[in-house]
Amino acid sequence: YRVWLSEIMLQQTQVQTVIPYFERFERELPTLRDLAEASPDRVIALWAGLGYYARARNLHAAAKICVEKHGGELPDDFESLAALPGIGRSTAGAILAQAHGQRHAILDGNVKRVFCRYHGIDGWPGTGSVEKQLWLVAEQHLPQTRLADYTQAIMDFGATVCTRASPSCVLCPLQHACVALREGRVEQLPQPKPGKPLPERSAVVLLLRDATGRVLLQRRPSTGVWAALWSLPEAPDHAVACDWFDAHVDGDGRGVRSFDLRRSGGGGGGGRRLVGLDDGQGIAREGHATGELVQLQPIEWEPMVGVRSDDDERSYQTDSDLQSIIVELANKIATPEPFSETLPRYADEGLFW
């Protein structure tokens, strides 16, 4: 269970970042059965800050399958393990090699880089033909004994010696047989993924507080960006945001339609605010040219209509609850002033108004 958990957390995330999350997760959910019985929101809250939340959802789903079909244990045969959500060929091999000493190859990003350089393999490792070649190489290099040590060693070798930038070739014990070093292509291998324009997206989110200062959150759809996470209500444009406002909030919705994102509004509005995110990156800061804080006037907000704390789609949360649920909202979304004391580790990233 611990090997599996660590392998999933370490996907796309560095070791030093993972350690405190791993320790907290293991402390709160120490066994596979504990994980299976936990609520989805609790699992996501424990994962909050690591990003790539599909990993947490797959981890939870896999735990439930293990309880239903495998007696509450993680399977120790390759086919059953690789069939679980979030566990592919490389992750299954890493788990079985390290937890059971079984002879299976792995091929994470670090290992791909090592083999591409050592054997001088051209092409982006993500293409089918290159990946097939890398798997053959990975299988050929497997030792007959000490599989757990080898598996850990080759991953650490890529992470600490044969690094993406500034590799330590002068210290490398494999330097005399490395094709990339011999041909002067260390910096060119592995070849990068072919570039393509990044998609841009703009949206409007609503920051709504009730009379007690609670913030309204809405569960996102089960697919797409931040799937199934709680976040501020979001709309694709101002008109849809106004319609949502009129449907769910007691108040004068006409005031929402009159705001101008190019300038900040005046005071008033009792501190109730609407945030516009129009810079394509999901970042809004007071005074920012493309996403500014706008005061709504002359609206006096009333309690939300049809919003219940036990509703699966909408829920009030206190600011302290928000710490663990939406600190990742919109990547680095600006957060209200009350967060400054509860989230000090974000203070140096310009996240506070």
Side-chain angles (χ1 to χ4, degrees):
Y1 172 69
R2 296 172 70 247
V3 171
W4 171 41
L5 176 60
S6 65
E7 284 299 319
I8 300 301
M9 285 188 168
L10 287 167
Q11 293 172 352
Q12 305 294 322
T13 310
Q14 295 182 345
V15 174
Q16 291 304 313
T17 300
V18 164
I19 289 174
Y21 290 95
F22 174 83
E23 292 175 342
R24 182 180 65 173
F25 202 101
E26 185 193 21
R27 183 173 60 252
E28 296 294 324
L29 302 174
T31 69
L32 185 150
R33 194 172 292 274
D34 291 326
L35 171 59
E37 294 175 352
S39 69
D41 282 342
R42 188 184 182 198
V43 175
I44 291 297
L46 289 172
W47 199 274
L50 272 179
Y52 297 98
Y53 289 94
R55 296 182 297 176
R57 293 192 295 272
N58 286 333
L59 193 77
H60 194 206
K64 289 179 174 292
I65 293 174
C66 287
V67 170
E68 295 171 0
K69 298 183 178 181
H70 302 290
E73 300 290 339
L74 199 66
D76 60 2
D77 66 281
F78 185 88
E79 288 73 18
S80 298
L81 185 60
L84 293 174
I87 300 181
R89 180 178 177 180
S90 183
T91 300
I95 294 171
L96 294 176
Q98 294 178 96
H100 301 288
Q102 295 185 19
R103 196 170 183 269
H104 295 287
I106 66 166
L107 206 59
D108 70 353
N110 288 321
V111 178
K112 288 179 179 179
R113 182 168 58 253
V114 170
F115 288 152
C116 281
R117 287 174 175 169
Y118 185 77
H119 290 280
I121 298 175
D122 291 306
W124 176 51
T127 61
S129 59
V130 176
E131 188 171 49
K132 182 178 180 180
Q133 185 178 359
L134 288 171
W135 274 115
L136 291 174
V137 168
E139 296 283 356
Q140 292 169 1
H141 280 286
L142 281 176
Q144 295 297 323
T145 60
R146 299 182 62 186
L147 272 303
D149 289 340
Y150 170 80
T151 299
Q152 188 64 59
I154 194 169
M155 290 190 292
D156 285 348
F157 180 75
T160 61
V161 178
C162 195
T163 54
R164 178 180 292 106
S166 303
S168 303
C169 295
V170 68
L171 302 176
C172 178
L174 304 177
Q175 59 180 284
H176 299 298
C178 178
V179 173
L181 182 61
R182 183 172 66 245
E183 297 179 354
R185 297 197 296 151
V186 173
E187 298 299 331
Q188 285 74 48
L189 295 177
Q191 293 180 358
K193 180 179 181 179
K196 64 178 181 179
L198 291 176
E200 294 186 0
R201 176 182 178 183
S202 62
V204 173
V205 296
L206 295 174
L207 177 55
L208 307 176
R209 296 180 183 273
D210 67 0
T212 65
R214 296 180 301 173
V215 178
L216 182 67
L217 303 182
Q218 185 173 33
R219 191 186 293 277
R220 300 181 66 86
S222 58
T223 59
V225 178
W226 308 307
L229 299 183
W230 291 96
S231 71
L232 303 178
E234 179 183 312
D237 55 43
H238 304 148
V240 176
C242 292
D243 292 339
W244 190 96
F245 179 94
D246 291 337
H248 298 284
V249 182
D250 278 339
D252 185 0
R254 292 172 296 178
V256 178
R257 295 185 176 89
S258 65
F259 74 88
D260 184 351
L261 276 178
R262 292 173 296 179
R263 59 183 176 82
S264 292
R272 282 71 175 176
R273 296 173 278 191
L274 179 144
V275 183
L277 303 182
D278 271 1
D279 62 359
Q281 298 182 21
I283 301 175
R285 298 189 181 96
E286 186 173 9
H288 193 281
T290 55
E292 293 188 338
L293 174 65
V294 179
Q295 298 286 353
L296 300 183
Q297 299 180 63
I299 297 175
E300 288 295 332
W301 301 85
E302 301 291 340
M304 304 300 171
V305 173
V307 176
R308 306 184 305 278
S309 61
D310 60 346
D311 195 315
D312 286 339
E313 302 302 326
R314 293 182 293 274
S315 175
Y316 280 125
Q317 299 290 338
T318 64
D319 284 341
S320 61
D321 293 327
L322 289 177
Q323 174 181 354
S324 62
I325 298 177
I326 61 164
V327 294
E328 289 289 308
L329 175 68
N331 191 20
K332 290 185 176 180
I333 190 172
T335 51
E337 290 176 353
F339 282 51
S340 59
E341 295 182 0
T342 58
L343 293 176
R345 70 189 182 93
Y346 288 93
D348 60 347
E349 297 185 20
L351 302 183
F352 306 125
W353 282 322

